[in-house]
Amino acid sequence: MSQSSLIDTISQAIDGGITMLQLREKKLSSQAFLEEALAVKTLAKDRHIPLIINDRVDIALACQADGVHIGQNDLPLPVVRSLIGADKIIGVSVQTLDQAIIAEKQGADYLGVGAMFPTKTKEEAIIVDHETLAKICQNVSLPIILIGGMTQQTIPLFQHERINGFAIVSEIMTATETCHVTQKYRQLIDQQLLNKRGATCPFLDH
């Protein structure tokens, strides 16, 4: 996807109701990633949407993103915090209760729990079962974002858990009518989860 197409897609997703944006690029050079991140940051700032950079603390600092999302094999959370400062957002991907508890103790701002289902965007992802998710919800007070296989069919399966948002990639990024599809997700979450559990609207993970 070209940078102009990416910006247009993100703009439509914002129109449709996303409340946070994560930018993830595994194949771009550092220079190309930074150029893309700067363009996305400009749009996100203008539209008042927080921008989170996946994995790359250096890119997050360079584009003045609102935060960083890290996995279990990335830089340790305390190190990331020392680099980006106390005022930035740090999200942590977790697959077990122990990981979730440690992330909370170390000062994470939110948890990305999953993958809840197999996903083509990260085929090597560890699948988290519903029992583990329930334990995390019960024992950790941080906001919880579900990741991996989040669709209009799977999201309602979590209406009885304490979920605060959903990371959605393919359904939004590949849609021919991005705004319309995002609006449908927003309506689904508002109707089935927001009033019951204080969930947010889609967290678009590119």
Side-chain angles (χ1 to χ4, degrees):
M1 180 180 290
S2 67
Q3 187 176 114
S4 60
S5 296
L6 175 63
I7 295 299
D8 180 63
T9 298
I10 293 173
S11 180
Q12 290 187 53
I14 294 172
D15 289 341
I18 67 167
T19 56
M20 186 175 285
L21 172 67
Q22 180 181 138
L23 188 63
R24 176 179 56 185
E25 291 289 2
K26 298 294 186 180
K27 298 180 180 180
L28 290 183
S29 68
S30 294
Q31 181 176 347
F33 191 0
L34 177 57
E35 291 174 356
E36 179 178 279
L38 288 168
V40 173
K41 174 58 180 176
T42 297
L43 172 63
K45 183 178 180 180
D46 289 345
R47 304 292 294 275
H48 307 291
I49 299 296
L51 172 63
I52 307 297
I53 300 296
N54 185 265
D55 297 342
R56 296 289 300 273
V57 178
D58 56 337
I59 299 296
L61 289 170
C63 76
Q64 299 184 353
D66 299 284
V68 179
H69 188 94
I70 57 176
Q72 293 299 310
N73 296 319
D74 295 322
L75 287 174
L77 194 156
V79 174
V80 175
R81 178 62 74 194
S82 71
L83 291 170
I84 70 172
D87 61 330
K88 298 293 186 178
I89 301 167
I90 298 181
V92 181
S93 293
V94 301
Q95 293 82 40
T96 69
L97 176 58
D98 286 345
Q99 291 173 355
I101 291 174
I102 290 171
E104 182 172 44
K105 289 181 178 178
Q106 291 183 339
D109 294 295
Y110 72 88
L111 300 178
V113 180
M116 300 309 302
F117 301 97
T119 171
K120 293 181 180 179
T121 59
K122 195 171 184 180
E123 295 181 354
E124 75 280 10
I126 298 171
I127 303 301
V128 177
D129 59 42
H130 208 114
E131 181 180 358
T132 299
L133 172 63
K135 290 179 179 178
I136 292 173
C137 292
Q138 293 164 8
N139 291 278
V140 176
S141 61
L142 293 175
I144 292 174
I145 308 296
L146 295 189
I147 60 179
M150 293 296 104
T151 69
Q152 294 180 57
Q153 290 71 45
T154 59
I155 285 175
L157 300 176
F158 303 98
Q159 60 183 304
H160 299 300
E161 299 294 348
R162 182 185 62 80
I163 306 303
N164 300 91
F166 301 87
I168 302 164
V169 187
S170 300
E171 292 276 314
I172 290 177
M173 295 304 297
T174 63
T176 56
E177 297 183 2
T178 303
C179 181
H180 176 66
V181 170
T182 308
Q183 287 175 335
K184 290 178 67 176
Y185 271 103
R186 180 61 187 259
Q187 292 168 0
L188 171 67
I189 294 169
D190 284 351
Q191 292 170 2
Q192 301 205 34
L193 297 180
L194 184 59
N195 294 332
K196 297 180 181 179
R197 301 294 175 183
T200 63
C201 73
F203 174 112
L204 173 58
D205 181 357
H206 166 60

